[in-house]
Amino acid sequence: MSGEYRVYVTRRVPEAGLGMVREACETRVWEETLPPAKDVILEEVVDSDGLLCLLSDDVDGEVMDAGDLRVISQYAVGVDNIDLAAATERGIPVGHTPGVLTDATADLTFALLMAAARRIPEGIEKVRAGEWHTWEPMGLLGADVWGATLGVIGLGRIGTAVARRARGFQMRVLYNDPHRNPELEEELGVVYTSFDNLLKRADFVTIHTPLVSETHHLVDESALRRMKRTAILINAARGEIVDTDALVRALEEGWIARAALDVTDPEPMPADHPLVGMASCIVVPHIGSATVTARNRMAEMAAENLLAGLEGERLPYCANPEVYEEGAR
């Protein structure tokens, strides 16, 4: 297969997967830190058989029509940057990397929860600023995690992994999801409840639902106002699920106590954005899957999808399996 196909990779990914692609194909890689402009992608796909892309790339019908792609492989679980309907219509299978980053993202979610609850970043800044003068009985008082109530929005793989971690802290776990899961309720002791009741009762609200039209700005002004004034919001899913302007007002006016975000809208979030400067808000740069193990496996899965698609084989991790149905182009 070596050199038979041409592939464009929109950013350098771990060699665990990139090496597989380079060994099998003529490979061009965008070497810059920032993602390529859409014009660059349009130019590169003209003579490419395969595209390995990232969440930061807009892959729509225009990109697909610029060349004759046999496969699109996404280095991520989510595919909201790719027009799946357009790909299916054109007979292009789209790969992604489900499951591999579940534990890494769940770990990061709990790290954000703990850091926000115990005001860790504020403590670090106090020490760095030379403002730690003595032990203070009223200094940086935070929220208890042990025995608190956790509200999980979206009990998929990552939401379930977060709920498992919460058991170690004897937390009461409420969840809301379009599909109730009695088996997990029995196994983990989680309790299904309405979205409204979850917001009203939870000390911590953590988001793990996919970004679709129904979840865009799911956590809006109305939702934030229904949360406890002492509540903490964590988002490690997609930034657009939270209304950013409403969150700014919620923290400024005390509708909720704190927030911790791994994803933002806009993303990346400018350094001068109000949320970045707030002591009550933690913002980290989308590092949910940023462990060596998770990122290496993501690269391998992306390569496996890419190479399978180039050979006309069914993708092992396909985001639009309907492309293989009878009658699809």
Side-chain angles (χ1 to χ4, degrees):
M1 179 175 176
S2 181
E4 181 178 350
Y5 298 110
R6 293 182 176 180
V7 169
Y8 182 59
V9 183
T10 63
R11 208 93 58 82
R12 179 178 291 278
V13 298
E15 198 63 27
L18 187 57
M20 295 166 60
V21 176
R22 282 179 163 150
E23 184 177 346
C25 309
E26 180 183 325
T27 306
R28 300 185 306 280
V29 180
W30 180 258
E31 299 284 356
E32 305 296 326
T33 300
L34 295 178
K38 187 173 182 180
D39 287 347
V40 173
I41 298 176
L42 286 168
E43 181 178 343
E44 290 286 353
V45 299
V46 169
D47 61 350
S48 293
D49 301 294
L51 175 67
L52 197 161
C53 56
L54 278 69
L55 280 169
S56 50
D57 304 314
D58 180 13
V59 183
D60 57 10
E62 182 184 11
V63 171
M64 299 172 200
D65 291 338
D68 191 21
L69 292 172
R70 298 170 63 90
V71 60
I72 297 169
S73 181
Q74 171 98 319
Y75 179 75
V77 176
V79 290
D80 38 278
N81 60 306
I82 301 173
D83 189 335
L84 287 184
T88 301
E89 181 182 347
R90 290 160 175 78
I92 304 173
V94 177
H96 65 150
T97 62
V100 66
L101 50 71
T102 295
D103 286 317
T105 304
D107 284 349
L108 189 277
T109 297
F110 229 87
L112 289 174
L113 186 156
M114 294 291 294
R118 298 306 304 270
R119 303 173 66 177
I120 301 298
E122 294 173 75
I124 292 171
E125 287 304 313
K126 186 168 185 173
V127 174
R128 287 178 173 171
E131 297 174 356
W132 182 22
H133 304 302
T134 184
W135 180 84
E136 302 173 60
M138 299 299 292
L140 292 178
L141 300 182
D144 286 314
V145 176
W146 181 270
T149 298
L150 175 67
V152 179
I153 301 174
L155 199 69
R157 290 189 183 95
I158 297 173
T160 298
V162 171
R164 292 186 189 281
R165 285 155 176 74
R167 296 180 71 190
F169 287 83
Q170 295 291 299
M171 300 182 85
R172 295 177 292 275
V173 180
L174 308 176
Y175 81 96
N176 180 260
D177 190 278
H179 306 287
R180 187 167 178 175
N181 194 325
E183 292 182 2
L184 281 177
E185 290 174 23
E186 182 175 356
E187 178 188 350
L188 300 179
V190 298
V191 177
Y192 176 82
T193 190
S194 67
F195 182 61
D196 183 67
N197 191 52
L198 182 150
L199 295 175
K200 290 178 179 178
R201 292 180 55 191
D203 300 303
F204 301 89
V205 174
T206 182
I207 301 170
H208 302 290
T209 187
L211 176 63
V212 294
S213 57
E214 293 80 8
T215 61
H216 183 267
H217 284 189
L218 177 66
V219 180
D220 57 8
E221 177 174 340
S222 174
L224 290 163
R225 286 188 180 276
R226 280 177 281 167
M227 291 171 62
K228 294 180 179 181
R229 295 180 68 86
T230 55
I232 295 173
L233 176 71
I234 302 101
N235 187 9
R238 287 289 181 269
E240 294 88 345
I241 297 172
V242 177
D243 182 336
T244 299
D245 292 338
L247 180 58
V248 170
R249 295 196 303 275
L251 293 171
E252 287 178 340
E253 299 176 17
W255 309 348
I256 64 173
R258 286 184 284 283
L261 313 173
D262 182 44
V263 291
T264 59
D265 181 23
E267 188 172 307
M269 183 162 274
D272 60 355
H273 192 280
L275 289 178
V276 176
M278 289 183 181
S280 57
C281 188
I282 299 170
V283 180
V284 295
H286 203 151
I287 56 173
S289 65
T291 70
V292 172
T293 300
R295 292 283 174 88
N296 280 346
R297 183 55 188 143
M298 286 171 65
E300 292 170 348
M301 292 170 73
E304 290 164 9
N305 281 326
L306 185 76
L307 299 179
L310 291 173
E311 290 288 275
E313 300 171 359
R314 190 180 183 101
L315 273 58
Y317 315 100
C318 189
N320 62 334
E322 59 273 17
V323 77
Y324 297 114
E325 293 176 3
E326 187 176 352
R329 178 183 161 186

